[in-house]
Amino acid sequence: MKILHVITSLYTGGAEKLMVDLLPRLRDRGLDVSLLIFDGTDTPFRKAVERVGIKIYDLGKGGSVYSLRRLWGMRKFLRQFDVLHTHNTAPQLFAAIWNLFGGATLCTTEHNTSNRRRAWKWYRPIDIWMYSRYSRVICISKKAEENLRDFISCRDSKILTVNNGIDVGKISSARPGRTFAGIAPDCRMILMVAAFRWEKDQDTIIRAMKQLPESFHLFLVGDGVRRKDCEALAEAEAVSPRVHFLGLRTDVPSLLHEADYIVMSSHFEGLSLSSVEGMAAGKPMLASDVDGLREVVGGAGILFPHQDAEALANEILRLETSPEEYSRVASACTCKAKDYDITKMTEGYIKVYDQIRLNG
């Protein structure tokens, strides 16, 4: 079975990280997997996929992923592969359009519990039609599945959940680097790893810095369209000397072990791999109490009210003044991260492909 995964880009984010972690494992289990990228710009994630020998196609570099050039360029791949497995809106929609003319069986992964287009009532019929073209729709968490079923009013068994996963052993065994070497030894380090996209909420943690002592520094890993807005916010809040924008990084496991606190501040998530990685590093995880985070972090890490900077700062200070509670939360996070090991996710995807091979 020849399987082509299709994604908009390999800049940064959970879907992009999934390509890095999942594709070589599927290949090692005997599947013939390749990757098509709409925007083939060279990135650390692309280099990582290339290093393990996965064949990569792209449809150019830069520009809109919704361009007619990308739509037209995608057409030939539907007849070269047995399964097209899409990620993100543009590949999902374009594959559904070309599938009208035959070709590969379609499979997709739903990476979020919500998205902007679900607020557009006029677009809902398009979404319903689009998902109807797919043989299987894999949701990365139960909440993502529940919300999608409600949105498109579908109870079909083709929609199912395979929890996202990480290489827990790789994260837990990493060692601290020297990224924060320029910071005073007595400083406390807060880390958030997330793309600067509209569904993320770096704003709240930046505002929380104003309520934390001068000894606290925030490190933000990632890039994206909202980075300049967040840089401007740090300036406006007069905390920019203590807020460090690290851009795209390939040493995230080491960064996690260097940090004292891991935070994921979001408006919503699908299943936050960055949060699972933070928990696997054995550090206290603090996350927004929103869909896709409460399911992962709840019962182990600490949930703070959505967009409540004061509550986030108070939770960090509470842990700071209670070493026993700090250790308890860190230990609970380490244990819960094991529920999301990538081995379980890989088995789930293989099972889906076996179902497609047998039943279409």
Side-chain angles (χ1 to χ4, degrees):
M1 177 181 285
K2 296 181 64 178
I3 303 167
L4 181 68
H5 283 255
V6 190
I7 195 167
T8 51
S9 74
L10 284 180
Y11 285 103
T12 186
E16 295 81 354
K17 184 65 164 56
L18 183 67
M19 300 298 95
V20 176
D21 292 338
L22 177 63
L23 297 189
R25 287 173 170 82
L26 293 176
R27 188 267 318 277
D28 292 346
R29 291 293 301 275
L31 294 176
D32 184 351
V33 292
S34 303
L35 178 62
L36 172 64
I37 315 172
F38 276 23
D39 176 357
T41 299
D42 201 19
T43 65
F45 278 173
R46 175 164 184 164
K47 286 185 173 69
V49 175
E50 289 173 334
R51 277 197 299 270
V52 297
I54 299 297
K55 173 67 176 178
I56 296 179
Y57 307 90
D58 69 55
L59 300 179
K61 295 177 172 61
S64 172
V65 296
Y66 292 95
S67 70
L68 292 178
R69 175 167 60 93
R70 262 78 189 228
L71 171 61
W72 187 252
M74 190 182 188
R75 75 194 187 286
K76 63 181 180 181
F77 293 98
L78 268 81
R79 297 194 180 277
Q80 294 180 17
F81 292 85
D82 301 305
V83 175
L84 245 67
H85 191 141
T86 63
H87 308 263
N88 312 129
T89 302
Q92 286 177 328
L93 179 60
F94 289 179
I97 291 171
W98 284 118
N99 185 252
L100 289 170
F101 305 98
T105 300
L106 298 187
C107 178
T108 192
T109 297
E110 190 66 24
H111 288 275
N112 274 305
T113 55
S114 185
N115 55 53
R116 283 182 292 182
R117 69 182 191 268
R118 291 187 192 177
W120 308 334
K121 292 183 179 180
W122 60 270
Y123 197 89
R124 184 168 176 267
I126 299 175
D127 259 345
I128 292 173
W129 170 82
M130 180 187 77
Y131 287 113
S132 74
R133 303 300 305 173
Y134 280 83
S135 172
R136 297 293 186 279
V137 179
I138 300 173
C139 299
I140 66 170
S141 69
K142 280 296 183 183
K143 190 62 177 178
E145 178 183 345
E146 176 186 325
N147 288 3
L148 177 62
R149 286 186 179 279
D150 288 345
F151 179 67
I152 63 174
S153 301
C154 178
R155 295 293 174 263
D156 198 300
S157 61
K158 73 177 185 178
I159 302 177
L160 67 152
T161 294
V162 176
N163 282 333
N164 256 10
I166 65 163
D167 189 338
V168 172
K170 178 181 178 181
I171 299 296
S172 61
S173 63
R175 293 293 176 262
R178 293 181 54 82
T179 301
F180 309 142
I183 305 301
D186 60 342
C187 283
R188 304 297 280 170
M189 303 162 193
I190 305 168
L191 178 68
M192 177 169 168
V193 182
F196 287 84
R197 296 172 178 164
W198 71 276
E199 63 265 32
K200 307 298 182 182
D201 182 28
Q202 286 93 345
D203 309 56
T204 293
I205 189 172
I206 291 172
R207 292 191 176 98
M209 290 300 295
K210 198 166 186 176
Q211 303 178 53
L212 292 170
E214 292 292 318
S215 58
F216 281 80
H217 282 247
L218 170 63
F219 297 84
L220 297 171
V221 174
D223 209 346
V225 295
R226 295 201 64 252
R227 175 170 172 169
K228 289 185 178 179
D229 293 339
C230 291
E231 290 173 341
L233 177 61
E235 291 281 352
E237 294 288 328
V239 295
S240 56
R242 296 190 291 127
V243 178
H244 311 274
F245 294 82
L246 301 185
L248 301 177
R249 301 293 295 240
T250 58
D251 58 345
V252 169
S254 293
L255 297 179
L256 293 169
H257 282 270
E258 273 189 272
D260 299 295
Y261 299 93
I262 314 296
V263 173
M264 179 55 66
S265 181
S266 299
H267 299 301
F268 61 85
E269 292 280 347
L271 189 157
S272 173
L273 290 178
S274 291
S275 297
V276 179
E277 289 179 341
M279 294 193 297
K283 301 298 175 71
M285 183 75 210
L286 300 98
S288 307
D289 189 6
V290 298
D291 284 352
L293 284 175
R294 68 173 65 94
E295 295 83 1
V296 175
V297 178
I302 293 172
L303 297 171
F304 61 89
H306 178 226
Q307 294 185 303
D308 193 331
E310 182 178 0
L312 172 56
N314 287 340
E315 290 290 359
I316 292 173
L317 291 174
R318 181 175 68 86
L319 293 176
E320 189 69 10
T321 56
S322 176
E324 296 82 6
E325 181 66 0
Y326 182 101
S327 296
R328 185 196 68 78
V329 173
S331 178
C333 286
T334 301
C335 291
K336 189 164 187 183
K338 296 175 183 177
D339 293 338
Y340 298 95
D341 189 79
I342 195 168
T343 302
K344 298 178 181 179
M345 180 184 72
T346 304
E347 292 296 335
Y349 274 74
I350 291 173
K351 183 177 180 180
V352 170
Y353 295 139
D354 285 342
Q355 292 171 351
I356 292 174
R357 179 173 54 83
L358 292 174
N359 304 313

